[in-house]
Amino acid sequence: MTEPLLEVKGLQAWYGESHVLHGVDLTVHKGETVTLLGRNGAGKTTTLKSIIGVIRKRQGQISLKGTNILPLPLHHVAKRGLGYVPEERGIFASLDVHENLMLPPKVAEGGFSLDEIYTLFPNLAERRRSQGTKLSGGEQQMLAIARILRTGADVLLLDEPTEGLAPVIVQRIGDVIRALKEKGMTILLVEQNFRFARRVADRFYVMEDGHMIDSFRADELAGRMDSLHETLGL
Amino acid sequence: MTMIFGYPLPALLSQLLIGLINGSFYAMLSLGLAVIFGMLRVINFAHGAQYMLGAFFAWFLLRYFEVGYWPSLILAPLGVALISVVLEKVFLSRVYKLDHLYGLLLTFGLALIIEGMFRHWYGTSGQPYSIPSVFTGALNLGFMILPIYRGWVIVASLVICLATWLLIEKTQFGAYLRAATENPTLVQSFGVNVPRLLTLTYALGAGLAALAGVLAAPIYQVSPLMGQNIIIVVFAVVVIGGMGSILGAVVTGYMLGLVEGLTKVFYPEASSTVIFVIMVVVLLLRPAGLFGKE
């Protein structure tokens, strides 16, 4: 196996005085889609926020392409090639769709062109002059993903992309993630929707109470279903 | 002579002109305040001092370096913006995460220190700054006499307000500003240097105040108190327009200048208080201001 693109070792994080991550380890290799599973409050979103650096009180090591990014200021992390799509989508009300799309600066060559983005997300092309927050939930999610694709980031951190969306939109988001995989994107996905996650993931990590309690490949899933039933309440 | 509501037209128009000139300064100053508050969430009480610094900068340049009005229109705002970068880095950046009151008190203190220093050095009497030769004289419009320099101030303020609006609404820098006003952490996670953006925004707001100060220098005398005299009115303008609203600051600035001018014609006794009466009414009926979001 090649060197991981993203490697997290012994990651601990705090919300104020509250210790919420207790030594999380994970790796993501180039072209992989890795999913963090776990119940509400298990620490999945906190793990993503700690990796990107939105949560600043952290310890451990986060290596991106061999460089420890943990000490870097938040705005330097994106420039190293980490793209973040937050759970709440973060669409800006004061910007229209096109402005939202163009907001994140390019961090590397090789990102999606506007034509490619509008081909992948035709709804966004039709509504490019609409206020960002006037879009439907699904369209906002697509916009949140699309604007990171444009930047040329190597690794996409996707936090609960299907949350609160209708099944038909979830299907569409799944198609998009598969299309990104085919293009060789590396994705770290946080997802509570297990049915969705199993369609797109190559590997899984399972979290509980801020600890990583299990990890397995997609082809090992069948043998893990019992323990997943117990951990996730499937 | 043409009369309107019992008042001679020339008298009415000249008061409207004075109102429009005052409104031009209200608009430029409240615009800077709105830009700063919108992004930094700091009520910049030092804005009047920065306006005064702009005028003094132009005066220094002329007196000690024989640098005239036109270069001063660029050099003075740049100089004040640089000073403001230092103020932001050393002082303001430490209070962003605290209640708005701390920013207000800090900038109020800074204003007192800056104005106090200039009062100590130059006294309270104003220093003259002559009108550039190209703008001396007046135009006879038939129905009124328009001093050319005052006409220039109105045109310049409109251009400055429009340019600032275009910068914020139509450029990538403006998009960063607007987005960072909503969610600075997310904007920073995209790779935008938000702390630098905050510094630049403060410098931009202060630079606008300084530019207004240079424009004001030939009309009002260059005095340490010139900012103190106008800043309370400008705060009222910002409150009426809606804190942080760029459009609100500009429209309300001109509008209230005109209202003040008209009040001087119809009920002079109220001319110095009419803006504050309007502020009270607006705060009662629409606390977020005429253009602010509820």
Side-chain angles (χ1 to χ4, degrees):
Chain A
M1 176 90 46
T2 55
E3 281 289 301
L5 204 55
L6 175 68
E7 184 171 27
V8 176
K9 279 186 189 167
L11 180 62
Q12 305 195 52
W14 288 261
Y15 280 123
E17 296 303 310
S18 181
H19 193 178
V20 286
L21 289 186
H22 307 272
V24 167
D25 296 325
L26 66 87
T27 55
V28 186
H29 292 87
K30 187 168 171 53
E32 264 193 322
T33 296
V34 172
T35 299
L36 295 184
L37 297 172
R39 285 178 188 261
N40 255 342
K44 309 182 299 294
T45 293
T46 305
T47 301
L48 281 204
K49 285 183 173 175
S50 301
I51 291 172
I52 190 77
V54 168
I55 293 173
R56 299 306 298 173
K57 201 171 175 185
R58 304 162 294 165
Q59 277 179 12
Q61 190 173 334
I62 304 167
S63 298
L64 183 66
K65 290 177 272 185
T67 305
N68 185 15
I69 59 169
L70 190 130
L72 297 180
L74 179 55
H75 57 274
H76 282 194
V77 175
K79 289 176 187 165
R80 300 284 173 142
L82 212 50
Y84 174 53
V85 181
E87 185 178 6
E88 67 281 4
R89 289 156 197 151
I91 302 303
F92 297 99
S94 57
L95 274 57
D96 65 25
V97 169
H98 186 73
E99 287 173 325
N100 266 286
L101 199 51
M102 301 302 285
L103 190 73
K106 284 198 169 218
V107 296
E109 291 303 315
F112 284 53
S113 68
L114 266 184
D115 284 346
E116 284 175 304
I117 284 172
Y118 283 142
T119 306
L120 194 60
F121 306 103
N123 287 18
L124 299 184
E126 288 166 20
R127 306 198 60 187
R128 57 193 296 164
R129 288 298 162 207
S130 301
Q131 186 187 337
T133 47
K134 296 275 189 222
L135 300 183
S136 68
E139 286 169 333
Q140 286 192 29
Q141 188 61 65
M142 288 173 196
L143 177 56
I145 296 172
R147 71 181 169 193
I148 296 301
L149 297 182
R150 202 187 61 80
T151 65
D154 297 302
V155 183
L156 197 56
L157 306 183
L158 270 178
D159 196 355
E160 305 262 14
T162 66
E163 193 189 22
L165 301 181
V168 64
I169 306 295
V170 172
Q171 174 91 24
R172 176 85 186 98
I173 300 278
D175 293 343
V176 166
I177 291 178
R178 275 201 298 274
L180 297 181
K181 282 182 69 171
E182 281 167 22
K183 288 201 100 176
M185 282 293 290
T186 306
I187 300 170
L188 177 58
L189 174 71
V190 160
E191 190 53 69
Q192 284 212 62
N193 181 341
F194 180 68
R195 287 184 185 182
F196 173 82
R198 70 186 297 176
R199 282 174 54 211
V200 295
D202 301 309
R203 281 195 302 122
F204 296 89
Y205 286 94
V206 184
M207 292 192 74
E208 194 172 70
D209 295 332
H211 297 87
M212 208 61 97
I213 58 167
D214 196 8
S215 69
F216 52 89
R217 295 191 310 272
D219 58 10
E220 298 170 320
L221 185 61
R224 291 298 215 288
M225 287 310 288
D226 286 346
S227 66
L228 283 177
H229 272 288
E230 196 176 310
T231 313
L232 306 177
L234 297 173
Chain B
M1 183 178 287
T2 312
M3 305 288 278
I4 292 180
F5 301 121
Y7 293 90
L9 182 62
L12 193 66
L13 288 176
S14 64
Q15 283 305 328
L16 274 178
L17 175 68
I18 291 171
L20 197 55
I21 291 162
N22 287 340
S24 300
F25 289 111
Y26 297 160
M28 283 187 285
L29 287 169
S30 55
L31 177 62
L33 272 181
V35 167
I36 290 171
F37 182 78
M39 177 73 196
L40 282 69
R41 299 284 148 189
V42 166
I43 302 165
N44 183 36
F45 238 95
H47 215 65
Q50 285 155 337
Y51 164 76
M52 178 270 289
L53 279 178
F56 260 101
F57 217 107
W59 183 77
F60 286 139
L61 287 172
L62 186 64
R63 174 153 183 185
Y64 298 110
F65 303 100
E66 294 181 359
V67 174
Y69 177 82
W70 294 107
S72 290
L73 277 178
I74 295 165
L75 294 174
L78 277 179
V80 175
L82 277 177
I83 293 168
S84 303
V85 164
V86 176
L87 293 180
E88 194 273 343
K89 287 280 182 202
V90 176
F91 299 109
L92 273 180
S93 59
R94 297 168 197 273
V95 299
Y96 288 147
K97 290 184 179 165
L98 304 177
D99 189 272
H100 294 174
L101 187 62
Y102 289 88
L104 187 149
L105 288 173
L106 174 64
T107 52
F108 185 55
L110 288 171
L112 289 179
I113 292 168
I114 295 167
E115 284 168 354
M117 287 192 312
F118 275 76
R119 210 167 44 223
H120 173 71
W121 291 328
Y122 298 99
T124 50
S125 58
Q127 313 290 336
Y129 190 95
S130 47
I131 291 174
S133 56
V134 67
F135 291 134
T136 50
L139 287 177
N140 188 349
L141 300 178
F143 51 89
M144 64 176 289
I145 304 291
L146 172 68
I148 296 173
Y149 185 76
R150 292 175 187 236
W152 153 248
V153 166
I154 295 167
V155 172
S157 79
L158 285 169
V159 171
I160 290 163
C161 291
L162 179 66
T164 309
W165 181 83
L166 286 173
L167 176 73
I168 288 167
E169 293 296 327
K170 302 292 174 192
T171 66
Q172 188 67 13
F173 175 75
Y176 289 153
L177 278 186
R178 283 178 285 144
T181 302
E182 290 183 46
N183 190 341
T185 305
L186 183 60
V187 172
Q188 197 169 357
S189 80
F190 291 159
V192 177
N193 189 339
V194 171
R196 187 184 294 162
L197 199 61
L198 293 173
T199 307
L200 286 175
T201 306
Y202 191 68
L204 171 69
L208 280 171
L211 186 52
V214 182
L215 287 169
I219 297 180
Y220 314 109
Q221 292 210 314
V222 178
S223 148
L225 301 181
M226 63 189 288
Q228 211 175 75
N229 296 338
I230 197 171
I231 196 66
I232 299 298
V233 177
V234 171
F235 268 106
V237 171
V238 173
V239 170
I240 294 167
M243 293 295 288
S245 166
I246 305 294
L247 185 65
V250 174
V251 173
T252 312
Y254 287 111
M255 196 179 72
L256 290 179
L258 290 173
V259 168
E260 203 180 41
L262 284 175
T263 312
K264 276 182 187 153
V265 177
F266 293 107
Y267 191 55
E269 295 83 349
S271 63
S272 58
T273 50
V274 64
I275 289 179
F276 300 102
V277 173
I278 294 172
M279 183 181 82
V280 170
V281 173
V282 168
L283 281 176
L284 286 173
L285 299 178
R286 198 177 154 82
L290 297 177
F291 293 82
K293 289 180 184 135
E294 295 285 354

